[in-house]
């Protein structure tokens, strides 16, 4: 329960008290400044407190934005300020100072809540209200004008409009959001939470994967329709979170994690459905997952590397991008060709219903490859033309994203004295040769050959050398995706070389388990929680240890036994990673970790 302290008795005819109660606040009125301090001290320390001027006039949604957003420890709008438990001491000090300034202990003169906001010595969030009204009128005429301004603006319409993500893909913006926002409001009025809608989206996608696995035309059509409905629910959960301000750490993690689980489970369903018709497309399914995951790692690495970097200017590439964004049609074209989740899922759904899994994967691979080349090329150009100085925090985030295990870390310690000037100043030039040789050896050598093992040993050395110094070079953000592509690609190729029934599905499971770990690392970094614990990385070997192990298993085991080993490794990695991930996020949620909500690029 939250508590709102009014600085005096509400003006007759004001709906302020009922509005605050609608938002879940217990309302208490202070008779003077000293009483306001007393009421604040009486509220349990683990509760949110708001201080609201009794003369406040404004929209309910303005109060909601200013006083109930769980992402911020302290927030304020004109005439009201709020603090969560961590900011309560600062609120108490600020209120005490404001009370000392008030003549004769009165709370009538001056806007005390605004004074508290000015004095609050912690980060203070001030939401953009736009057309919403939030004022403290000083006389009856101003109050009457303010009430008329409130009546002239439909805050529910604004609330619905702002529930939609400000930046999204063409398909989502024009084909889903126009009606999914109303579904979000329907869910809110029935007490449903974003996490429940997220779970419903996951269940729907898993049913779609099951329909695709039947291998029948009716099953494929049903799968396509259910996948689209799953995406509608996926949009709805975020819109519901924005509509009702139900943000949470756990919810952000579930939304991001389930998106990947839904898409990759659907790939597996398509592969199973094709197998029922005698067509083996597991290599294509695994290739699509590898390509999509590497695309995401490129996005994450680039964003982390440049999140807090400094540079003299934006650079010519960024300037050109800004010019293109000023032309309406180019904005939507550029958003579509990167094949964000809305366009991608719509394409997959239509192709599933009308064609075969093989054609679906071919088109998906071609589209994702083009999108990957387009986005990566643009980011490379930005990096080499914009002389940015990257921070230690950015370098640490990139090092965490590499997922280096004990072997690579040991090599990093031994090889840490490599010259820091170009070409070795670019960590990418150290990591890339080993990764390319590893994939080339796996591709050209016969199954059971020792060449991939030797290449994997070299890969361990080069990947270790790449992280021996901070990843601060212009293109060092490419190191994590290069390592991801090398590890995943090696597993795919060796499983295909084994040429036994079940090897590729086992490899699919292994890559899915490892990819989950890598996504989990990203979401922890985004939530400012740091990377997963070192014991977890050591337990699953790091990218270097897993890669070397898989190449050794391919030499020592017959193809049939290699399939079993891949399956066992996939299960072991999945169990360890899932246990630690679920434990961490549930614990963080229970401890009241700051709520987050991703408004970034469409995935």
């Amino acid at each position: 329960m939250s508590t709102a302290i009014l600085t005096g008795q509400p003006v007759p005819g004001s709906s302020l008290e009922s509005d605050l109660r609608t938002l879940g606040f217990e309302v208490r009125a202070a008779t003077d400044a000293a009483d306001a301090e007393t009421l604040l001290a009486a509220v349990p320390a683990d509760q949110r407190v708001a201080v609201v001027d009794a003369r406040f006039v404004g929209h309910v949604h303005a109060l909601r934005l200013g006083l109930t957003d769980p992402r911020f420890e302290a927030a304020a709008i004109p005439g009201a300020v709020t603090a969560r438990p961590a900011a309560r001491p600062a609120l108490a000090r600020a209120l005490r100072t404001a009370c000392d300034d008030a003549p004769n202990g009165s709370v009538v003169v001056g806007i005390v809540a605004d004074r508290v906001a000015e004095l609050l010595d912690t980060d203070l969030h001030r939401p953009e209200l736009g057309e919403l009204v939030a004022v403290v009128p000083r006389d009856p005429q101003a109050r009457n004008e303010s009430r008329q301004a409130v009546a002239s603006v439909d805050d529910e319409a604004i609330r619905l409009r702002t529930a939609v993500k400000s930046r999204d893909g063409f398909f989502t913006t024009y084909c889903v959001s126009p009606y999914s926002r109303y579904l979000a409001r329907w869910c809110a009025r029935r007490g449903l939470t974003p996490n429940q809608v997220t779970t419903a989206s996951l269940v729907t996608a898993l049913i779609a994967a099951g329909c695709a696995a039947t291998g029948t035309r009716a099953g494929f059509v049903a799968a396509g329709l259910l996948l689209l409905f799953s995406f509608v629910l996926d949009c709805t959960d975020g819109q519901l979170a924005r509509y009702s301000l139900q943000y949470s750490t756990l919810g952000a993690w579930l939304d991001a994690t389930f998106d990947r689980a839904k898409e990759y489970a659907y790939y597996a369903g398509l592969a199973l459905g094709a197998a029922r018709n005698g067509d083996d497309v597991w290599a294509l399914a695994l290739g699509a997952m590898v390509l999509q995951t590497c695309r995401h790692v490129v996005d994450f690495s680039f964003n982390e590397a440049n999140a807090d970097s400094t540079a003299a200017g934006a650079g010519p590439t960024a300037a050109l991008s800004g010019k293109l964004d000023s032309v309406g049609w180019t904005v939507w074209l550029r958003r579509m060709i990167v094949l964000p989740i809305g366009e991608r899922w719509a394409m997959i759904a239509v192709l599933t219903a009308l064609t075969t899994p093989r054609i679906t994967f071919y088109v998906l691979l071609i589209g994702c490859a083009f999108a990957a080349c387009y986005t990566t090329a643009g980011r490379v150009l930005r990096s080499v033309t914009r002389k940015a100085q990257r921070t230690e925090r950015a370098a640490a985030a990139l090092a965490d994203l590499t997922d280096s295990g004990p072997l690579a870390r040991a090599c990093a310690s031994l090889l840490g004295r490599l010259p820091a000037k170009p070409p070795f100043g670019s960590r990418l030039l150290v990591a890339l040769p080993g990764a390319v040789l590893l994939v080339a050896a796996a591709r050209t050598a016969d199954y059971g050959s020792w060449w991939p093992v030797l290449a994997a040993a070299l890969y361990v050395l080069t990947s270790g050398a790449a992280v021996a110094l901070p990843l601060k070079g212009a293109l060092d953000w490419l190191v994590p995706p290069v390592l991801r592509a090398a590890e995943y690609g090696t597993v795919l190729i060796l499983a295909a070389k084994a040429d036994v029934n079940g090897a590729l599905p086992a490899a699919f499971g292994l890559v899915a388990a490892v990819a989950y770990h890598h996504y989990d690392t990203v979401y922890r970094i985004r939530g400012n929680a740091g990377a997963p614990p070192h014991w977890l990385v050591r337990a699953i070997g790091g990218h270097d240890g897993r890669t070397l192990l898989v190449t050794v298993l391919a030499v020592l085991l017959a193809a049939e036994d290699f399939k079993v080993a891949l399956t066992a490794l996939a299960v072991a990695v999945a169990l360890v990673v899932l246990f630690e991930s679920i434990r961490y996020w549930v614990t963080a949620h229970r401890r009241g970790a700051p709520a987050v909500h991703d408004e970034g690029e469409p995935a």
Side-chain angles (χ1 to χ4, degrees), residues 114-419:
D114 286 348
R115 179 64 172 149
V116 171
E118 293 171 5
L119 295 169
L120 198 61
D121 54 348
T122 187
D123 292 335
L124 187 69
H125 171 66
R126 295 184 182 272
E128 292 288 339
L129 297 181
E131 301 174 69
L132 296 174
V133 177
V135 295
V136 179
R138 295 175 180 267
D139 55 62
Q141 180 180 352
R143 172 170 292 277
N144 184 54
E145 293 174 353
S146 300
R147 286 177 172 174
Q148 291 177 0
V150 170
S152 66
V153 175
D154 185 354
D155 68 334
E156 178 61 21
I158 294 175
R159 189 181 178 191
L160 266 178
R161 185 174 71 246
T162 55
V164 178
K165 187 185 290 187
S166 58
R167 176 183 172 85
D168 225 326
F170 180 88
F171 178 80
T172 304
T173 300
Y174 291 105
C175 300
V176 177
S177 292
Y179 57 88
S180 62
R181 70 184 74 180
Y182 296 100
L183 179 58
R185 182 172 66 180
W186 183 89
C187 292
R189 291 177 175 177
R190 282 152 184 81
L192 296 177
T193 66
N195 291 352
Q196 291 172 332
V197 178
T198 301
T199 303
S201 177
L202 173 66
V203 172
T204 303
L206 294 179
I207 295 174
C211 291
T214 63
T216 64
R217 178 52 52 192
F220 288 147
V221 172
L225 293 174
L226 287 171
L227 185 64
L228 287 176
F229 182 59
S230 175
F231 180 67
V232 172
L233 292 176
D234 183 54
C235 295
T236 301
D237 64 3
Q239 291 164 359
L240 174 58
R242 286 181 286 271
Y243 181 84
S244 56
L245 299 186
Q246 296 185 73
Y247 304 117
S248 70
T249 300
L250 183 63
W253 170 68
L254 288 176
D255 183 48
T257 303
F258 283 4
D259 278 351
R260 308 286 80 81
K262 287 181 288 189
E263 185 166 2
Y264 298 157
Y266 192 83
Y267 291 174
L270 283 176
L272 289 170
R276 286 182 175 272
N277 294 319
D279 190 12
D280 186 356
V281 297
W282 276 106
L284 297 177
L286 180 51
M289 181 167 65
V290 169
L291 179 56
Q292 190 59 36
T293 303
C294 290
R295 278 189 63 196
H296 285 145
V297 177
V298 168
D299 295 340
F300 299 146
S301 296
F302 180 80
N303 291 336
E304 287 300 325
N306 294 280
D308 50 7
S309 64
T310 58
T317 306
L320 175 60
S321 179
K323 290 181 180 179
L324 291 175
D325 282 342
S326 64
V327 182
W329 67 270
T330 64
V331 174
W332 292 116
L333 178 63
R334 295 171 68 204
R335 290 189 191 180
M336 291 174 67
I337 62 177
V338 300
L339 212 61
I341 188 170
E343 277 76 357
R344 191 168 67 250
W345 282 26
M347 181 185 74
I348 293 172
V350 171
L351 291 173
T352 298
L354 300 180
T355 64
T356 65
R358 180 172 290 274
I359 293 176
T360 301
F361 281 123
Y362 279 151
V363 176
L364 178 64
L365 285 166
I366 293 171
C368 287
F370 177 80
C373 291
Y374 171 78
T375 55
T376 304
R379 286 166 177 167
V380 167
L381 287 174
R382 288 192 182 201
S383 298
V384 298
T385 57
R386 179 175 180 263
K387 305 302 182 181
Q389 297 294 323
R390 294 185 171 84
T391 63
E392 293 293 338
R393 191 214 64 81
L398 290 179
D400 291 335
L401 288 174
T402 62
D403 189 34
S404 298
L407 295 176
R409 291 181 182 275
C411 293
S413 299
L414 294 174
L415 302 175
R417 296 185 179 181
L418 281 176

Side-chain angles (χ1 to χ4, degrees), residues 381-468:
L381 287 174
R382 288 192 182 201
S383 298
V384 298
T385 57
R386 179 175 180 263
K387 305 302 182 181
Q389 297 294 323
R390 294 185 171 84
T391 63
E392 293 293 338
R393 191 214 64 81
L398 290 179
D400 291 335
L401 288 174
T402 62
D403 189 34
S404 298
L407 295 176
R409 291 181 182 275
C411 293
S413 299
L414 294 174
L415 302 175
R417 296 185 179 181
L418 281 176
K421 295 181 179 180
F424 295 112
S426 172
R427 304 290 102 185
L428 174 64
L429 296 180
V430 178
L432 188 59
V436 171
L437 287 174
L438 171 63
V439 175
R443 178 67 182 86
T444 57
D446 295 331
Y447 178 80
S449 169
W450 280 95
W451 285 112
V453 177
L454 297 176
L458 177 62
Y459 169 76
V460 170
L461 290 173
T462 57
S463 61
V467 297

Side-chain angles (χ1 to χ4, degrees), residues 463-485:
S463 61
V467 297
L469 293 177
L471 298 173
K472 292 185 175 182
L475 296 178
D476 286 355
W477 55 269
L478 281 169
V479 171
V482 164
L483 301 181
R484 293 295 80 74

Side-chain angles (χ1 to χ4, degrees), residues 483-525:
L483 301 181
R484 293 295 80 74
E487 179 185 0
Y488 299 164
T490 300
V491 174
L492 189 162
I493 293 170
L494 292 179
K497 290 274 187 176
D499 197 24
V500 293
N501 189 32
L504 281 168
F508 188 96
L510 176 58
V511 172
V514 174
Y516 175 89
H517 164 62
H518 291 146
Y519 280 116
D520 188 58
T521 301
V522 168
Y523 303 141
R524 294 195 194 208
I525 293 174

